[in-house]
Amino acid sequence: MEVLGISEKDLSERFIKSGGKGGQNVNKVSTAVHLVHIPTGKQIKCSVYRTQGLNRYKARDLLCLELERKWNQAESDAFVQKLRKKKQDKHRKSIKKKLEKEKTEWNEPM
């Protein structure tokens, strides 16, 4: 979380009853975790484990993975845009050069 710049102040956490496998424990005790990253609005609900502590840890882990994926996607999109622009510029230059060459060929006396 420190590497991504996420602090505990940026998180909103609620505990809810999960249900499913785990027997009486998950049906009576609020073991599921609903985590919200306030700046981005990203929400994670985790009820993988039977204990609240493990679900809290896993929810934070999942949140970090989602945010990291989002930021990496933004960086890769910027890189792709840069490559496209470079390719377009190269194409434009080659067309311009070709047109100039044809123009000089037409203007030369025979």
Side-chain angles (χ1 to χ4, degrees):
M1 287 176 52
E2 290 177 19
V3 174
L4 295 173
I6 302 170
S7 67
E8 286 292 325
K9 292 181 274 184
D10 295 339
L11 302 177
S12 170
E13 186 176 46
R14 284 188 316 150
F15 302 106
I16 50 180
K17 294 181 183 177
S18 58
K21 293 183 181 178
Q24 190 176 28
N25 182 52
V26 296
N27 294 326
K28 292 178 77 176
V29 181
S30 298
T31 56
V33 177
H34 182 255
L35 195 62
V36 179
H37 185 243
I38 297 167
T40 60
K42 188 70 180 169
Q43 298 181 11
I44 300 289
K45 181 184 177 216
C46 182
S47 60
V48 177
Y49 301 108
R50 291 178 60 188
T51 62
Q52 193 179 75
L54 288 175
N55 283 331
R56 289 182 77 200
Y57 176 79
K58 187 65 176 175
R60 282 166 172 71
D61 183 43
L62 292 172
L63 179 71
C64 289
L65 288 174
E66 287 290 321
L67 292 177
E68 186 176 22
R69 185 179 303 135
K70 180 181 173 184
W71 288 330
N72 286 340
Q73 182 67 31
E75 287 176 3
S76 68
D77 287 348
F79 181 72
V80 168
Q81 289 291 82
K82 188 176 179 182
L83 286 178
R84 283 184 185 154
K85 181 161 175 35
K86 196 174 187 180
K87 189 174 181 179
Q88 287 173 349
D89 290 344
K90 187 175 180 181
H91 182 67
R92 237 184 259 118
K93 285 180 183 178
S94 69
I95 290 174
K96 185 177 179 183
K97 190 174 182 180
K98 185 177 177 183
L99 290 174
E100 287 176 359
K101 184 178 178 184
E102 288 176 1
K103 185 178 180 183
T104 57
E105 287 177 1
W106 281 98
N107 290 336
E108 289 181 0
M110 291 188 171

